[in-house]
Amino acid sequence: MNDYDNETAWTNSDNYSFYDQNVASSSTFDPFQPMTNTDTIMSTTVTTAATSPTAKDEFEPEPMTIIVDDAQKSSDGSFITYRVFTMTNLPMYSQDKRPVRRRFRDFLWLHNALTIEYPASVIPPLPEKHRMKYMKGDRFNPMFIEQRRLGLQWFMDRIARHPLLQASQYTRVFLESTDFKVDKNIQSKTAPSNSIFGSFFKTFAKVKKPDEKFVEMKETIDKFGDNLNIVEKLYARIGKRQQELELNYTHFAGSIRGLSALETNVDQPLRKFAEATEFYVESLKEMRKQEDLLFLNDIHELLNYCNAAKDKLVERDQKQVEFEELSTSLQAIMVEKERVLHPYKQQGAGANIAELMTDKMNDHHRAKNERVFRLESKIKELEESVAKANDDNNSYSNQMIKEYEIFQRTRQTELKQGLSAYADCHIDFYKKSISIWENILPVLEQLD
């Protein structure tokens, strides 16, 4: 069960025509067209919600539905493309809703572009390409393709639920451009050149004064991730038992066939019963396959989303660390300046005699006013750095509060979808099972 079951009517209808991107002219899409009211939407980051209880939260996303479906091989058979169809009333999007086709590397481009454009936001992770078990099989295997399509669907769902990401110029180009190869290169020229992996190898320091809000966020995400890992392990255990059950039922069907060879007067009913058991085994296998596809993959993608949120919390902590370290350095320089200006001033009962002697020796080599000038220059530089670090820290902190709210809503929605899919798999299985065994009952009447 998912949020798109209700959209099948229009996704399969003839109400729209499909662009052939090899023929369509790039003049039909301008990646730099004016975006009415876009600035208001894209700048909404850290402002507080309206005080009126009926006012809409400024950080709420606009209604948006993105469908990723119809996986097809490219003309040369070297890669898979997916049809992407968008429905939204956001003003920067064209009202001429037409689907486009995108390959995996195009989704990767969008992920990287959003990471650069919104460094303080939790950018949804792409499907688990890094998991080696997904790299062992044939990448053109229908099961692999469907797994990836679902992962890309979850990726786009999360973008559609995010008020900044859904209104990004990069998202718009991705969803609407009919000459994407050209338009994405034009857009890439306007993006900052810094690498999204710039802090990957950085050794992270600990925050001196942790903010309880963000400590609680991390603990909540950690607990949720731990529970997901437990669910995954228990699901794997259940799956192993289901496989054993399938094998036992297969042997059971074989034994019934053996009986039919001995009981020649009732061989046909016995063979029919064996066939019913084999159909039952196939239903078990199909249920497990659908559970893996719709439930287990959902758990994996939720775990990836948890990791993305935790990584962003770590980045926020580093902004605070930078502010704390710069503030400490500024304070030390100001103390040094005070000591140079007043070398004989007692700073409490424990004045440092060694420092005073050092000052006397240094004064033989440089004028006091020169030292003061350099220190004041350093103080001014550090004050600017501290102010910028403080702004960055506040910006990241305020944005992280908003991102956490989105994370909370998203995880609830996706967990509900995954559990609903799991329940639907069992409902379908038991309906098929009832039909199988009910159909065999009239045949068994012949045994009388």
Side-chain angles (χ1 to χ4, degrees):
M1 180 182 294
N2 57 58
D3 291 341
Y4 303 101
D5 291 341
N6 295 329
E7 308 295 343
T8 53
W10 56 260
T11 56
N12 294 325
S13 69
D14 295 326
N15 294 334
Y16 60 82
S17 58
F18 178 65
Y19 270 141
D20 183 348
Q21 295 183 79
N22 296 320
V23 177
S25 170
S26 60
S27 62
T28 59
F29 176 82
D30 180 6
F32 299 104
Q33 69 182 25
M35 299 184 186
T36 308
N37 297 330
T38 305
D39 293 338
T40 302
I41 296 172
M42 296 181 67
S43 63
T44 305
T45 54
V46 298
T47 54
T48 56
T51 55
S52 170
T54 59
K56 184 177 181 179
D57 187 351
E58 291 182 11
F59 208 69
E60 286 291 323
E62 294 295 325
M64 189 178 201
T65 299
I66 304 173
I67 304 294
V68 181
D69 63 4
D70 189 29
Q72 293 182 7
K73 270 190 180 183
S74 61
S75 57
D76 61 1
S78 61
F79 58 88
I80 299 294
T81 65
Y82 304 86
R83 181 173 59 183
V84 182
F85 185 82
T86 307
M87 291 185 67
T88 182
N89 290 323
L90 281 166
M92 72 285 302
Y93 285 88
S94 170
Q95 295 306 306
D96 185 17
K97 299 177 176 64
R98 295 172 182 260
V100 295
R101 297 205 74 87
R102 299 289 182 257
R103 58 186 297 187
F104 184 82
R105 67 171 56 173
D106 298 332
F107 288 87
L108 181 61
W109 173 88
L110 177 60
H111 177 276
N112 292 345
L114 292 175
T115 301
I116 293 172
E117 186 178 13
Y118 297 109
S121 294
V122 178
I123 308 302
L126 284 165
E128 306 172 299
K129 187 176 181 180
H130 63 279
R131 283 183 178 250
M132 291 306 296
K133 66 180 182 180
Y134 287 99
M135 303 300 289
K136 293 178 182 178
D138 178 11
R139 62 193 180 100
F140 295 119
N141 180 280
M143 188 67 172
F144 175 86
I145 293 173
E146 181 61 11
Q147 284 178 339
R148 172 166 285 184
R149 186 198 67 78
L150 282 172
L152 295 174
Q153 180 67 69
W154 285 316
F155 171 70
M156 297 309 304
D157 286 347
R158 291 165 179 170
I159 289 176
R161 296 189 194 105
H162 197 293
L164 295 181
L165 305 186
Q166 67 171 194
S168 166
Q169 59 179 330
Y170 299 112
T171 304
R172 184 174 65 89
V173 168
F174 176 85
L175 293 174
E176 291 192 339
S177 174
T178 56
D179 194 359
F180 185 66
K181 185 175 182 181
V182 172
D183 289 336
K184 75 175 181 179
N185 289 333
I186 295 174
Q187 287 290 70
S188 296
K189 293 176 184 178
T190 67
S193 59
N194 56 299
S195 170
I196 64 173
F197 305 105
S199 61
F200 184 77
F201 296 104
K202 182 177 179 180
T203 301
F204 293 113
K206 290 186 177 180
V207 176
K208 293 179 181 178
K209 297 180 180 180
D211 189 317
E212 286 301 318
K213 292 193 301 292
F214 302 109
V215 172
E216 290 177 6
M217 287 181 191
K218 185 178 183 303
E219 290 176 351
T220 299
I221 295 173
D222 282 339
K223 290 178 181 178
F224 182 63
D226 290 342
N227 281 322
L228 288 178
N229 281 316
I230 293 173
V231 169
E232 183 180 20
K233 290 178 181 177
L234 291 173
Y235 175 84
R237 189 183 303 173
I238 293 171
K240 185 177 180 180
R241 291 179 178 176
Q242 283 181 336
Q243 286 179 298
E244 293 174 353
L245 188 62
E246 292 163 13
L247 183 61
N248 289 334
Y249 270 110
T250 300
H251 291 160
F252 176 65
S255 298
I256 298 298
R257 285 189 181 277
L259 281 177
S260 68
L262 297 174
E263 303 291 335
T264 55
N265 57 327
V266 289
D267 63 320
Q268 185 177 2
L270 291 175
R271 279 190 284 105
K272 290 291 184 180
F273 187 90
E275 290 175 2
T277 306
E278 289 165 351
F279 288 145
Y280 182 72
V281 171
E282 291 303 314
S283 297
L284 277 170
K285 291 180 179 178
E286 181 62 22
M287 178 182 68
R288 185 162 51 83
K289 176 183 174 182
Q290 291 300 314
E291 287 174 352
D292 286 351
L293 186 64
L294 301 175
F295 176 71
L296 183 60
N297 281 339
D298 185 45
I299 297 299
H300 288 164
E301 295 303 328
L302 274 172
L303 282 169
N304 283 344
Y305 195 36
C306 286
N307 291 333
K310 287 193 292 185
D311 288 345
K312 197 56 60 176
L313 279 170
V314 170
E315 288 185 30
R316 191 224 67 87
D317 286 349
Q318 292 314 298
K319 293 297 179 182
Q320 184 176 339
V321 167
E322 290 173 12
F323 170 70
E324 290 174 345
E325 291 179 346
L326 285 169
S327 298
T328 301
S329 298
L330 175 60
Q331 186 178 13
I333 296 296
M334 294 178 72
V335 169
E336 184 179 352
K337 175 189 171 184
E338 184 68 17
R339 184 169 55 80
V340 171
L341 287 172
H342 308 286
Y344 301 107
K345 183 178 180 181
Q346 296 293 320
Q347 300 180 5
N352 194 325
I353 303 301
E355 289 184 359
L356 299 181
M357 297 300 296
T358 301
D359 287 338
K360 281 182 171 291
M361 295 178 63
N362 288 340
D363 286 341
H364 290 293
H365 302 289
R366 67 183 71 178
K368 179 189 290 187
N369 59 347
E370 181 182 343
R371 293 185 62 195
V372 171
F373 176 77
R374 286 205 305 269
L375 288 171
E376 287 178 341
S377 298
K378 185 65 175 176
I379 287 172
K380 182 178 180 181
E381 179 184 340
L382 278 172
E383 283 177 340
E384 293 176 354
S385 297
V386 168
K388 183 179 183 304
N390 184 50
D391 290 343
D392 289 345
N393 179 41
N394 289 335
S395 176
Y396 259 75
S397 297
N398 292 336
Q399 183 64 24
M400 192 63 227
I401 292 172
K402 298 294 185 182
E403 296 296 325
Y404 184 71
E405 293 173 359
I406 294 174
F407 171 82
Q408 291 284 69
R409 292 196 297 264
T410 299
R411 73 167 186 169
Q412 291 174 4
T413 298
E414 295 184 358
L415 189 59
K416 176 184 176 182
Q417 289 176 348
L419 292 173
S420 297
Y422 185 85
D424 285 342
C425 289
H426 280 257
I427 291 171
D428 290 343
F429 164 72
Y430 285 114
K431 284 181 178 179
K432 290 178 183 178
S433 300
I434 290 172
S435 176
I436 289 170
W437 297 122
E438 282 183 340
N439 290 336
I440 198 63
L441 288 177
V443 176
L444 295 178
E445 294 295 331
Q446 301 176 23
L447 292 175
D448 291 339

